[in-house]
Amino acid sequence: MIIQPGELLASIDTPADLRNLKEEQLLQVCQELRQYIIDVVSIHGGHFGASLGVVELTTALHYVFNTPYDQLVWDVGHQAYGHKILTGRRDNFHTNRKYGGISGFPKRKESEYDTFGVGHSSTSISAALGMAVASQYKGENNRQHIAVIGDGAMTGGMAFEALNHAGVSNANLLVVLNDNCMSIDPNVGALKEYLTDITTSRTYNKVRDEIWNILGKISKFGPNARQIASTIEGVFKTALLKQSNLFESLNFRYFGPIDGHDINHLVSVLNDLKHIPGPKILHCLTTKGKGFAQAEKEQTKWHAPGLFDKITGEIYKTYHDTPQPPKYQDVFGHTMVELAEQNDKVMGVTPAMPSGCSLNIMMKAMPDRAFDVGIAEQHAVTFSAGLATQGMIPFCNIYSTFMQRGYDQVVHDVCLQDLHVVFCLDRAGFAGADGPTHHGAYDIAYMRCLPNMVISAPMNEQELRNLMYTATQEGAGPFTIRYPRGEGVMPAWRTPLQVIPIGKGRTLQEGEEVAVLTFGHIGNYAVEVCQKLKKEGITPGHYDMRFAKPLDEELLHHIFQKYEKVITVEDGCLPGGFGSAVVEFMTDHGYQAQVKRLGIPDKIFEHGSQMELHRDAGLDPAAIERTVREMIASTVKV
């Protein structure tokens, strides 16, 4: 289905075309851009509410600034669909997040307008500041640098580190704070309360508008006007807010808050700010999902709703005649409540992903024992470590890709102190359409090198529940449980909780000639392959190892004594991963076998469905079957 853009939007192939329009035409551009996003996402899917909320802001930024010479950096990138459409990708926007199509996030290799690759939160100010300092060094003093960051991302520690640095520079930097009180879930914490105080102070907002007009007049009075204006403005801000402005205390000029949906006012303000040197911040108030009623009302649900009817707002669901397996994240969420009911030491922690990881189930049932700490992975880990010092058993649920952001804390605050913190790494392996910034490829390797750390992966929902239960047992220390995005394989998943001996795998099928050793959910591919091969009289052994650390050495001795050909399968990176651990065991114990490791090769994989990416990485069922056949047919060379 071909989706036609509106008349003005169809004429915009680059921001230069946008800048050729009259300012009074921008309202129509915004209307057409918002409708185009609704039309395409309703049919092809993707992130939704965030981009609708910044249509006017996106249009104004590209209209006022000379992009791509002026550097525009988007934080996270959920909100950058309008940016992509206005910068030459309108006609292939329908391929967004699809295999072989454009990325769902800004990507430097994709467009010169994507100045910095993003996907993880709170990086924009640091990146834009680096660009600004480089421009200053090169003598490009007329070049503008703009970081667009949401109030959710502003809670990330990196954002404050960048503000602290930028405040003592004279870099030409504009930070646009897109304040909609949301990230994926509602924002939490003191910064949210502070921004609310600013935006709801009627006295401040009334006088602010009057000051704005006064400052415009003062600017006509010569070279000292800026200093006079700044002093007057600062006095009023401090008096009316009854405290110094947070951003101005960091040496940023603060402007706002202003209506982020008033395109003409945005253009006017941005034109003014373009001529003010140094670090400055513009506080824009926006509504996530703006222009689509259901998305405005239920903002978390409409962050990425899937396919939907753009007229009625009905989100399309697939209905089945038989019960279907649940998502791993939901098994985690319900099992957390069950464990907490049995053990009053169990607590839950997540950095701003309560609905994504399903900790919201526990937050609703036990609000005093489950915590959303905001976009703050480092804090989440050390906060969990603090809980553990007092005898609590914190389950710190962080997406595998975001766990990278708290790695030092895992090493320094958890492992070195051998604290009982359970890390549940959701979205382990390929994350699918979110692409390389969200793939959980590295956790096995980076956790495996840490002393005291247990690393496990369930093959199904029952195993996830049992591993979670095992992790609560007395004497457990740092404990990692990794599991993928999406559904499991067991419709009847509410099984009794049982302790799994740490470091013990299980034999799924004894066989001949070839042993297949799998780690985690990917083992279900091997089950499928073994069932197919059995019909041909081929019976490879299949072993679900469960643990990458400690390895089941007893089982491995049995395997290497019986088989001369071994295949390892994991949905993690090959360097340093589960397969590497098996090869190390083989070498350390003097075994000689032909080993083939299947996993994620040492390269960057783009976005696509999980099955498409598994195929490309050579670890889908067809690849496992092909490897078994090749090894059976081969001659071992020692």
Side-chain angles (χ1 to χ4, degrees):
M1 179 179 179
I2 299 176
I3 299 171
Q4 297 293 341
E7 178 185 1
L8 290 181
L9 186 60
S11 70
I12 300 172
D13 293 320
T14 69
D17 298 325
L18 174 68
R19 291 189 282 271
N20 285 331
L21 298 178
K22 297 178 180 178
E23 187 174 327
E24 53 264 30
Q25 294 177 291
L26 295 182
L27 180 59
Q28 182 179 338
V29 171
C30 292
Q31 292 169 343
E32 293 180 4
L33 179 57
R34 179 170 280 113
Q35 188 59 51
Y36 191 72
I37 293 172
I38 293 171
D39 290 345
V40 174
V41 176
S42 67
I43 295 174
H44 296 282
H47 294 103
F48 188 59
S51 286
L52 290 187
V54 294
V55 164
E56 289 81 11
L57 179 59
T58 302
T59 304
L61 286 168
H62 280 296
Y63 188 75
V64 171
F65 293 100
N66 183 29
T67 55
Y69 178 74
D70 290 340
Q71 304 275 280
L72 177 59
V73 183
W74 297 91
D75 209 281
V76 180
H78 288 150
Q79 76 282 52
Y81 286 6
H83 160 79
K84 293 201 170 211
I85 293 166
L86 293 176
T87 55
R89 288 162 280 185
R90 179 193 63 239
D91 293 343
N92 61 352
F93 182 61
H94 65 281
T95 70
N96 179 50
R97 289 166 51 88
K98 294 183 178 181
Y99 183 77
I102 65 172
S103 171
F105 300 95
K107 190 180 185 71
R108 281 175 57 83
K109 291 182 179 179
E110 189 176 288
S111 171
E112 64 179 332
Y113 293 92
D114 294 356
T115 60
F116 200 75
V118 292
H120 289 195
S121 171
S122 312
T123 63
S124 60
I125 304 175
S126 296
L129 176 60
M131 295 172 185
V133 169
S135 293
Q136 193 174 51
Y137 174 76
K138 293 187 292 184
E140 298 168 344
N141 297 321
N142 66 332
R143 200 171 195 180
Q144 305 290 325
H145 310 85
I146 308 98
V148 183
I149 183 169
D151 52 320
M154 189 67 89
T155 66
M158 242 188 107
F160 283 98
E161 293 168 13
L163 288 171
N164 185 54
H165 181 192
V168 295
S169 75
N170 61 348
N172 194 14
L173 173 68
L174 170 62
V175 176
V176 178
L177 174 58
N178 172 35
D179 183 359
N180 61 17
C181 293
M182 291 289 293
S183 47
I184 294 176
D185 291 282
N187 290 327
V188 297
L191 178 63
K192 172 215 165 190
E193 302 299 331
Y194 175 77
L195 294 176
T196 300
D197 286 344
I198 292 179
T199 59
T200 57
S201 171
R202 293 184 180 179
T203 304
Y204 169 65
N205 283 287
K206 179 177 182 296
V207 177
R208 177 212 63 204
D209 293 336
E210 295 175 0
I211 293 174
W212 193 286
N213 293 330
I214 293 172
L215 298 185
K217 296 175 182 177
I218 290 178
S219 64
K220 301 174 183 177
F221 290 109
N224 295 323
R226 184 174 294 125
Q227 182 178 353
I228 297 169
S230 179
T231 301
I232 294 174
E233 186 183 16
V235 168
F236 272 101
K237 287 175 181 175
T238 300
L240 293 171
L241 292 174
K242 300 180 181 178
Q243 57 186 313
S244 62
N245 181 282
L246 169 65
F247 302 108
E248 299 224 341
S249 68
L250 292 170
N251 291 331
F252 269 73
R253 290 289 309 280
Y254 172 86
F255 300 90
I258 67 171
D259 182 355
H261 298 298
D262 185 338
I263 181 63
N264 297 116
H265 189 47
L266 279 169
V267 168
S268 175
V269 170
L270 289 171
N271 269 315
D272 287 341
L273 296 183
K274 188 164 63 171
H275 301 292
I276 299 177
K280 47 203 170 287
I281 187 162
L282 175 63
H283 186 178
C284 296
L285 305 182
T286 64
T287 301
K288 188 172 183 178
K290 180 70 173 179
F292 195 83
Q294 292 88 340
E296 292 186 35
K297 185 178 180 181
E298 298 180 272
Q299 295 180 344
T300 298
K301 180 178 180 180
W302 285 86
H303 172 73
L307 308 186
F308 60 93
D309 187 315
K310 67 181 182 182
I311 305 300
T312 66
E314 176 191 359
I315 297 175
Y316 299 133
K317 296 181 179 180
T318 302
Y319 295 95
H320 302 275
D321 295 331
T322 58
Q324 296 297 302
K327 294 180 179 179
Y328 275 104
Q329 68 184 62
D330 292 335
V331 175
F332 163 82
H334 289 292
T335 303
M336 278 297 295
V337 174
E338 192 173 338
L339 292 174
E341 289 172 343
Q342 296 180 15
N343 188 333
D344 61 7
K345 296 180 180 179
V346 170
M347 291 190 168
V349 178
T350 183
M353 298 301 295
S355 61
C357 77
S358 294
L359 189 66
N360 56 353
I361 298 171
M362 184 180 181
M363 291 172 67
K364 183 177 180 180
M366 303 175 178
D368 59 331
R369 295 171 62 184
F371 306 92
D372 174 5
V373 301
I375 302 177
E377 290 83 5
Q378 293 175 311
H379 166 62
V381 174
T382 304
F383 172 66
S384 298
L387 289 171
T389 66
Q390 302 306 303
M392 300 297 106
I393 306 174
F395 279 72
C396 184
N397 191 304
I398 301 180
Y399 287 10
S400 170
T401 185
F402 299 145
M403 186 73 257
Q404 297 157 192
R405 297 163 66 93
Y407 186 63
D408 177 64
Q409 287 65 34
V410 175
V411 178
H412 184 272
D413 299 335
V414 177
C415 287
L416 291 186
Q417 303 186 86
D418 198 17
L419 291 175
H420 190 179
V421 177
V422 184
F423 295 104
C424 291
L425 305 188
D426 198 341
R427 271 61 167 182
F430 284 126
D434 282 334
T437 60
H438 284 59
H439 294 329
Y442 312 115
D443 58 87
I444 302 172
Y446 67 63
M447 288 297 198
R448 195 169 73 83
C449 62
L450 301 181
N452 298 322
M453 179 64 76
V454 172
I455 307 170
S456 64
M459 189 169 153
N460 56 42
E461 297 89 326
Q462 179 180 23
E463 290 282 298
L464 173 57
R465 285 169 54 77
N466 289 342
L467 285 169
M468 291 176 67
Y469 182 56
T470 300
T472 66
Q473 301 305 299
E474 192 72 29
F479 202 115
T480 295
I481 306 171
R482 72 186 307 265
Y483 49 91
R485 177 177 191 162
E487 292 77 21
V489 294
M490 297 176 61
W493 59 273
R494 287 186 182 272
T495 54
L497 295 170
Q498 297 179 334
V499 172
I500 295 175
I502 293 176
K504 285 297 179 182
R506 58 182 184 146
T507 301
L508 300 181
Q509 174 178 301
E510 288 286 3
E512 300 173 354
E513 293 194 73
V514 177
V516 180
L517 282 58
T518 59
F519 183 55
H521 178 82
I522 202 80
N524 292 290
Y525 284 176
V527 169
E528 177 185 330
V529 170
C530 288
Q531 290 173 346
K532 178 180 179 181
L533 293 175
K534 193 171 184 178
K535 296 176 182 178
E536 302 177 29
I538 301 173
T539 55
H542 182 198
Y543 304 88
D544 171 25
M545 297 304 293
R546 282 181 174 150
F547 295 90
K549 183 181 179 183
L551 290 169
D552 187 339
E553 296 198 357
E554 181 180 359
L555 184 56
L556 285 176
H557 278 299
H558 165 73
I559 290 168
F560 281 106
Q561 288 167 5
K562 180 175 181 179
Y563 301 91
E564 294 183 344
K565 302 171 184 179
V566 174
I567 301 169
T568 65
V569 187
E570 61 192 300
D571 57 346
C573 66
L574 285 172
F578 162 70
S580 295
V582 172
V583 172
E584 290 166 13
F585 172 89
M586 179 186 73
T587 302
D588 291 345
H589 291 85
Y591 292 111
Q592 292 183 334
Q594 181 182 359
V595 179
K596 176 67 176 178
R597 295 176 302 135
L598 302 183
I600 300 177
D602 188 15
K603 58 175 284 188
I604 300 298
F605 284 81
E606 301 300 336
H607 54 281
S609 71
Q610 286 169 304
M611 182 57 81
E612 288 169 332
L613 298 176
H614 286 156
R615 180 198 65 207
D616 286 358
L619 55 101
D620 64 338
I624 297 173
E625 178 186 347
R626 183 170 60 250
T627 305
V628 171
R629 292 183 185 277
E630 289 173 352
M631 292 196 79
I632 289 176
S634 69
T635 301
V636 178
K637 296 179 181 180
V638 180

